[in-house]
Amino acid sequence: NNPSEPPAPESEGDSPTASDGPSNEEPTEAPEVPTDPPAETPAEPETSYDITQQEVSVPVEEGYFNVKDYGAKGDGKTDDSAAIQSAALAAQNGRGVLYFPEGSYLVEHTVTLPRNDALTLKVLGQNATLVGGDSLNGPMLAIEMKYHFYLYNMNFIHNGQGSCVDALSINARGCRFTGDAENTAAVAAFHGSDCRFTACSFDANCPDAYGLTYTKLRDEARNNDTISINDFIIDNVFRGVGKGILVGDGDYPDDGRCEGLKINGNYFYNTGSEQIRVTEILHINIAHNVMKYCTGTSIVLTQLGHGADGVFINDNRIENNGLACIASEAGGDNYVSSVNINNNILSGGQYGVYDPIIFARAFVRENTFQNQTVAGYYTGEITTKNPYYLFDNVFTEGDGVYSLQMNIRGRTLRLERNIVSALNTVNNLDRNEFEAGCTVGGEKGDNLTRLDGVTPPTDLNGSKGE
């Protein structure tokens, strides 16, 4: 039995007996969903949005390992590394729960949990914070377990150099990860299969640091464990002046790549140069996220190693303050394939989508492009035999801004049933492609232009296309 959460008490009679034991109260309410501030509210209240920790109660039993019973002080001054290490190994070998009662636990040396595929460990905190010391050079927790590591309600602040948690296996819920302003390492990092971060917050306070990274380890290849697959980043918050999520680093192109990642339902309020960077993965789903305040590119697609193949960017609300909501970037062989961009609201930035390298196979459907300063959709100049389709998109750009600035030469570019603000916002190279089926007034199957006095039809999806 390896439940995703520690078991709840069976009855009121299961209340803790130890003075340091956890509360037996019911979990608090789910994290509140941020709402747009009223008009009279001062600027950017959402940047302070935080995850409300969901307290998880566990009945005290023989399998409960309290770090204070192993000598941890939790006073924020004493180095508790050795005590935490002893308690963690005991809990791991005892298949128990490692418990941190209220306190601030100074960690001056990395605490390591070695690999043992037969064991399960749950870590539970109650108003507990692990603080990485200024001299710590490395992760606070190094999790070498390949399976069954669970982390609940823990706070981490790393004041040295390194990640708060660097894990092969992890299932984290209700945790807070914070990196110091001079800490260039990822605030948290993971590498294996069946990993999950839910309702956590990541604060990257260094401009060069990512809040969370998902990369494959060379050690996995040496152990013939070549697949890192089926991972989830769900309902989290990313803040600070740093970057958001890095997917893949391309360091080991001969050893396969990560496969299957869902980045869904998150809030990105970090103001760094990027919020999601995808460099190497097979199949990634980026959906139902809110992304604001990025001063560079909100979603970057590029290639290192094998590159990204099977990218689905669906149902996101992106408000960009820099280059682009979504952009490709040169790297490796510039191969980014099977990119699907569907039903997003892409607002602000110089570009809605900026694709100078030209995606190998692109399917762009039912998006809204608005308030860009240069172009809604831009591509570099290339003759391509791969399909590049834009269907059923709406461009409401201002005067002097291209709706379409596409430089693809070749019959594989297809523009169907799109609406643009005015015909002169389609660049000359693609004007013939756009105008070939363009009629004012709405014949089905055609691109449309919003000229003065003309109302385009409201039922675009009922028309016949490819």
Side-chain angles (χ1 to χ4, degrees), residues 190-218:
F190 72 104
H191 313 281
S193 298
D194 300 310
C195 297
R196 184 183 293 264
F197 288 84
T198 307
C200 297
S201 63
F202 302 85
D203 288 84
N205 292 310
C206 173
D208 296 325
Y210 286 94
L212 182 62
T213 62
Y214 172 39
T215 57
K216 190 173 168 131
L217 293 179
R218 169 68 77 175

Side-chain angles (χ1 to χ4, degrees), residues 125-402:
Q126 187 163 352
N127 298 319
T129 301
L130 269 62
V131 180
D134 295 346
S135 62
L136 177 59
N137 187 10
M140 298 167 66
L141 294 184
I143 311 303
E144 298 174 358
M145 300 172 67
K146 188 178 181 183
Y147 306 106
H148 312 316
F149 176 76
Y150 302 88
L151 189 65
Y152 301 96
N153 303 327
M154 292 293 298
N155 299 321
F156 296 85
I157 301 173
H158 201 316
N159 293 324
Q161 284 291 326
S163 299
C164 296
V165 176
D166 192 308
L168 184 55
S169 168
I170 188 168
N171 188 319
R173 177 182 290 272
C175 296
R176 295 168 175 160
F177 305 95
T178 302
D180 183 79
E182 297 182 359
N183 189 348
T184 58
V187 178
F190 72 104
H191 313 281
S193 298
D194 300 310
C195 297
R196 184 183 293 264
F197 288 84
T198 307
C200 297
S201 63
F202 302 85
D203 288 84
N205 292 310
C206 173
D208 296 325
Y210 286 94
L212 182 62
T213 62
Y214 172 39
T215 57
K216 190 173 168 131
L217 293 179
R218 169 68 77 175
D219 288 344
E220 286 291 277
R222 283 204 298 263
N223 293 330
N224 294 318
D225 300 327
T226 57
I227 297 178
S228 294
I229 193 170
N230 197 34
D231 296 295
F232 300 84
I233 303 172
I234 308 293
D235 298 335
N236 305 283
V237 173
F238 294 83
R239 297 170 310 211
V241 299
K243 305 173 186 178
I245 299 174
L246 171 66
V247 180
D249 57 12
D251 279 354
Y252 315 120
D254 297 331
D255 299 328
R257 57 181 161 180
C258 301
E259 298 183 21
L261 174 64
K262 292 180 173 60
I263 303 176
N264 294 352
N266 303 281
Y267 291 87
F268 293 84
Y269 300 139
N270 59 300
T271 60
S273 59
E274 54 201 46
Q275 293 178 315
I276 299 175
R277 172 175 286 264
V278 182
T279 66
E280 184 181 43
I281 195 167
L282 179 63
H283 300 151
I284 182 171
N285 183 284
I286 302 171
H288 301 287
N289 302 284
V290 173
M291 312 178 77
K292 295 186 175 184
Y293 313 129
C294 180
T295 56
T297 298
S298 300
I299 300 176
V300 181
L301 305 177
T302 186
Q303 179 190 0
L304 292 176
H306 294 277
D309 194 349
V311 179
F312 296 85
I313 303 174
N314 301 331
D315 302 289
N316 301 282
R317 179 162 63 94
I318 305 177
E319 299 179 18
N320 182 269
N321 293 342
L323 175 65
C325 298
I326 302 169
S328 67
E329 183 179 290
D333 294 328
N334 296 337
Y335 180 81
V336 179
S337 181
S338 296
V339 177
N340 300 265
I341 303 173
N342 303 317
N343 201 35
N344 302 279
I345 297 176
L346 306 178
S347 180
Q350 296 180 52
Y351 303 90
V353 175
Y354 179 69
D355 183 18
I357 71 171
I358 309 297
F359 301 131
R361 297 190 300 275
F363 307 90
V364 183
R365 185 187 293 270
E366 297 178 1
N367 301 280
T368 297
F369 295 78
Q370 59 190 25
N371 300 324
Q372 277 76 50
T373 61
V374 179
Y377 206 109
Y378 170 89
T379 67
E381 184 172 341
I382 192 171
T383 300
T384 177
K385 297 180 180 179
N386 296 317
Y388 207 115
Y389 298 153
L390 273 75
F391 296 160
D392 303 303
N393 301 283
V394 176
F395 297 82
T396 59
E397 305 297 356
D399 292 341
V401 176
Y402 283 114

Side-chain angles (χ1 to χ4, degrees), residues 374-377 395-397 401-405 419-422 425-426:
V374 179
Y377 206 109
F395 297 82
T396 59
E397 305 297 356
V401 176
Y402 283 114
S403 290
L404 297 167
Q405 191 179 8
I419 296 178
V420 302
S421 299
T425 62
V426 179

